[in-house]
Amino acid sequence: MSDISFSSYRKNDIHGVSLYPATMIAPVQHKIMASLFRDNDISSVYDPYHGSGTALFEAAKLDLNCNIIGCDINPLAHLITYSKLKGVTQKIEDDIQSLFFLIEKTPEYNFEFDNISKWFRADIIASLKKIRWAITQISSKRNRAFFWIVFANTIRKYSNSRSSTYKLHIKDMVDINRLHNNVIRDFQKQVENNYQKFTLKAPNVTLLKGDILKMSRKLADRSMDLTITSPPYGDNQTTVPYGQFSSLALFWIDSKDLKLEGWELDNYSKIDRMSLGGQRKNTLTHFGETLLEPYLNEISKEKQTKVINFFADYFISLDDICRVTDKYIVMTLGNRTVDRININLTEITSRYLESNGFILVNTLSRDIPIKRTPRLTSKVRNEAVSSMNEEFVIIHSRQ
Ligand SMILES: C[S@@+](CC[C@H](N)C(=O)[O-])C[C@H]1O[C@@H](n2cnc3c(N)ncnc32)[C@H](O)[C@@H]1O
């Protein structure tokens, strides 16, 4: 497989409709799967960290009848992926008309959550409340899901949080005051411009919402032909805070339309703390320790704990991926820098998969062209430290 740069790809397709951090590049996953599907009789695809569902949607595009199973701990990821894979109904144009009509007819009602007025201006809250109410009046679950994920983008765009980071970080007052309230028209335009992208309706889809370390127990040994995924690269709090990024939208979206376990809205960082490596839950095996040893010796004690917590969870997840996968494992990974030490996640993962009976058949790499996480993420003794800027795709096959 030659070129996987796809540097001209601009996400004008379904994958650009609702933003999510650190997504895969759809054509890369498509190209890899097209070749694996062609030569290996693949009829089931599993993504244990599906995020916005890039790989699963591309799998369904290649083979609509494919058995698709995914998991994510973040309810926004779940909703976006559900909407992409289930599409909208044939009544969508009627529902859009009703929705736009209802927005203008919204009654006065109470709606608030902790700190709502910190994150949104009063007039913006009033406009968002109209859209929110109107969506709750639509009877089709699939059409509501599409409206919610467009709404999620509107929420982010009109919040008082900076768009330059995935973390919640309040804007300067001048910028907050300068924001022009075009919420309703903007939302309507996004709905009109995008509903036609949601035409796929994959029949064999199971989306598990929860911690993969628990959810994967539901899956039988060697039950999935292909696992294709991009896991987190470290604990969410110090790498990509998927939960914090999603939290404002999750507070706004009607919880009846979210798959919630109950703890997700406790605070803005709860999802990140419950994600891989967010807490000390597991310990490293001897083999895990051997793989990490060259890196751990080089970094500060405090950072060591975070790295160990992450890898203890990560290796258990890899064990499970190997147990569940029958033929191929494809992983998109970045190498993360901690205390100026480059942690070679790609090599660590490959060695771990090989020790579990999956041999490396190909490694592909590409520069990450657009990134919101700055290339220089933190400072160690006042020197900037680089984050990830190249990603790797490793392809392993069962021996
Ligand atoms: C790199 S992102 C996946 C992005 C995805 N490939 C896409 O294209 O949108 C990693 C995902 O792992 C999820 N995650 C982190 N810890 C998890 C856990 N313990 N169980 C399930 N999902 C988890 C995050 O919520 C995030 O959506």
Side-chain angles (χ1 to χ4, degrees):
M1 195 162 317
S2 46
D3 186 16
I4 60 153
S5 59
F6 291 100
S7 45
S8 59
Y9 173 65
R10 284 293 171 268
K11 274 200 185 175
N12 295 326
D13 54 11
I14 193 169
H15 302 296
V17 175
S18 201
L19 288 182
Y20 195 73
T23 55
M24 287 166 162
I25 303 300
V28 173
Q29 307 304 318
H30 192 95
K31 188 170 179 175
I32 293 169
M33 280 191 282
S35 129
L36 289 175
F37 275 41
R38 197 175 44 239
D39 304 335
N40 298 283
D41 192 21
I42 304 279
S43 62
S44 49
V45 174
Y46 172 47
D47 185 345
Y49 300 97
H50 64 57
S52 66
T54 314
L56 296 182
F57 179 83
E58 294 303 316
K61 247 169 65 182
L62 279 164
D63 173 7
L64 192 63
N65 289 316
C66 182
N67 179 24
I68 288 173
I69 301 187
C71 177
D72 206 288
I73 198 163
N74 184 337
L76 186 64
H78 181 88
L79 189 65
I80 296 173
T81 304
Y82 167 82
S83 183
K84 281 179 173 177
L85 286 163
K86 288 295 175 186
V88 293
T89 72
Q90 285 178 345
K91 273 182 47 207
I92 185 67
E93 287 176 357
D94 293 346
D95 276 355
I96 292 175
Q97 246 189 11
S98 310
L99 181 79
F100 291 179
F101 173 80
L102 288 163
I103 288 174
E104 300 307 324
K105 303 281 174 234
T106 308
E108 279 297 314
Y109 72 105
N110 282 333
F111 172 76
E112 54 186 347
F113 52 83
D114 261 3
N115 276 335
I116 188 169
S117 48
K118 171 178 177 189
W119 296 114
F120 299 92
R121 235 171 44 198
D123 61 308
I124 303 275
I125 295 177
S127 305
L128 291 174
K129 270 175 74 179
K130 290 185 179 188
I131 299 174
R132 180 183 186 277
W133 182 81
I135 298 176
T136 62
Q137 304 306 300
I138 300 297
S139 60
S140 155
K141 180 181 173 196
R142 285 158 58 201
N143 293 348
R144 279 201 312 277
F146 165 68
F147 295 141
W148 287 130
I149 69 165
V150 174
F151 186 51
N153 260 11
T154 314
I155 289 163
R156 186 162 169 83
K157 181 167 171 194
Y158 286 94
S159 82
N160 294 342
S161 185
R162 292 166 202 241
S163 58
S164 53
T165 163
Y166 293 131
K167 290 202 165 118
L168 286 176
H169 186 190
I170 200 87
K171 285 178 189 165
D172 290 334
M173 215 49 207
V174 276
D175 293 326
I176 293 176
N177 291 334
R178 197 187 293 147
L179 187 70
H180 181 61
N181 182 350
N182 200 19
V183 169
I184 292 177
R185 189 60 214 122
D186 211 351
F187 168 78
Q188 290 173 329
K189 229 167 76 192
Q190 292 309 312
V191 166
E192 280 164 344
N193 291 347
N194 290 309
Y195 75 92
Q196 280 161 333
K197 296 173 185 165
F198 287 71
T199 49
L200 194 123
K201 185 171 187 271
N204 305 316
V205 180
T206 307
L207 298 179
L208 308 166
K209 151 66 185 90
D211 181 354
I212 191 60
L213 301 184
K214 294 185 191 134
M215 301 310 280
S216 65
R217 292 179 202 146
K218 293 177 192 271
L219 305 179
D221 295 1
R222 298 182 74 156
S223 55
M224 304 305 291
D225 290 334
L226 165 68
T227 293
I228 183 160
T229 196
S230 62
Y233 302 155
D235 65 287
N236 288 8
Q237 279 139 317
T238 50
T239 55
V240 181
Y242 301 95
Q244 220 178 101
F245 169 89
S246 312
S247 59
L248 294 177
L250 291 173
F251 279 111
W252 273 101
I253 295 170
D254 186 359
S255 49
K256 285 198 213 86
D257 282 330
L258 292 171
K259 192 115 189 196
L260 297 172
E261 294 165 71
W263 48 263
E264 290 88 341
L265 304 178
D266 283 358
N267 58 56
Y268 294 106
S269 345
K270 188 69 184 262
I271 296 173
D272 294 321
R273 267 213 311 285
M274 299 294 278
S275 293
L276 216 66
Q279 291 161 323
R280 185 174 185 84
K281 279 186 282 196
N282 297 300
T283 44
L284 287 173
T285 59
H286 178 65
F287 182 56
E289 272 175 16
T290 325
L291 290 177
L292 292 185
E293 207 175 76
Y295 308 101
L296 290 179
N297 293 339
E298 305 288 321
I299 60 182
S300 68
K301 272 267 171 296
E302 185 205 339
K303 301 259 171 74
Q304 276 183 19
T305 312
K306 290 201 169 221
V307 171
I308 290 170
N309 287 351
F310 171 74
F311 275 98
D313 285 357
Y314 182 64
F315 289 144
I316 292 176
S317 169
L318 290 183
D319 286 337
D320 235 15
I321 287 174
C322 293
R323 178 185 68 75
V324 167
T325 312
D326 192 39
K327 293 179 179 160
Y328 281 91
I329 299 173
V330 177
M331 295 185 73
T332 301
L333 302 162
N335 294 335
R336 191 189 160 206
T337 304
V338 179
D339 273 359
R340 261 189 272 142
I341 300 300
N342 187 280
I343 301 198
N344 195 332
L345 184 65
T346 315
E347 197 201 321
I348 294 171
T349 307
S350 260
R351 287 186 58 193
Y352 201 89
L353 295 178
E354 293 220 317
S355 78
N356 261 317
F358 278 83
I359 50 163
L360 180 65
V361 290
N362 209 344
T363 303
L364 310 163
S365 77
R366 60 187 293 281
D367 279 339
I368 303 174
I370 310 158
K371 269 183 66 65
R372 198 165 306 211
T373 309
R375 284 187 178 199
L376 302 177
T377 43
S378 55
K379 291 198 168 184
V380 175
R381 282 168 230 108
N382 268 338
E383 278 180 56
V385 171
S386 70
S387 148
M388 304 157 293
N389 51 24
E390 195 179 3
E391 69 185 11
F392 297 87
V393 183
I394 50 173
I395 306 179
H396 283 252
S397 152
R398 190 180 274 281
Q399 244 163 353

